[in-house]
Amino acid sequence: MATKLAVNPTSLYNHVPNLAAMIEDVRSLVSARIDSSPLRTLEWEDGLREWARSYRRAFADHPRAVPLLMTHPASAPVLLAGYEDFAVAARGVGWADRDILPLLTAFESFILGSVLDMSGPTVVFDPRGQEEQFPTFAAAFATLSDEDPDDPIATRAFEMGLTMLIASARPSPGG
């Protein structure tokens, strides 16, 4: 952050009391772009879908912030307000309070993992030259030539995974 601002890193502490406060400020700035209102206004599954997409978009321009934010507990009111919307909606469809944080964590892990996936190479695996050894994987890889070269996998993988998560986002009957 200091490098981007062309200042000495320690001068940032003239504006914040400590590293934890700086991290919370970053968290607040990025999290302010997450729209949790769909969790309040739409049916559970539709609300989850729109919230997750918003969450991913909010972090898409800041993938390097993800590991940093994982180093300190989250207490930013703007983020906690979204968590409250999630918890109210989850409880509303029958999730027990004890299962709400694991459910939220499952969604966040998936969303933030997708953000990290977007920040890497467009294709992380390459079986070229090894087609005989891995023929089925190589055939699947070959289909990427029909995809958008700027985003051949990440968005499709996000949407596919989100659909799978949402399909199981209601609590099991009786448990």
Side-chain angles (χ1 to χ4, degrees), residues 62-141:
H62 310 285
R64 291 185 179 161
V66 173
L68 173 71
L69 298 179
M70 304 319 287
T71 64
H72 287 78
S75 61
V78 66
L79 183 62
L80 295 180
Y83 288 167
E84 177 70 6
D85 289 339
F86 184 95
V88 168
R91 185 191 275 173
V93 296
W95 284 101
D97 286 352
R98 71 180 304 274
D99 294 328
I100 291 174
L101 292 182
L103 179 67
L104 173 62
T105 301
F107 272 91
E108 280 195 327
S109 296
F110 170 72
I111 295 164
L112 294 175
S114 176
V115 168
L116 293 175
D117 187 38
M118 290 168 47
S119 70
T122 55
V123 179
V124 246
F125 27 73
D126 187 349
R128 288 179 287 198
Q130 301 178 71
E131 292 86 354
E132 285 185 29
Q133 192 174 358
F134 309 107
T136 306
F137 186 76
F141 178 83

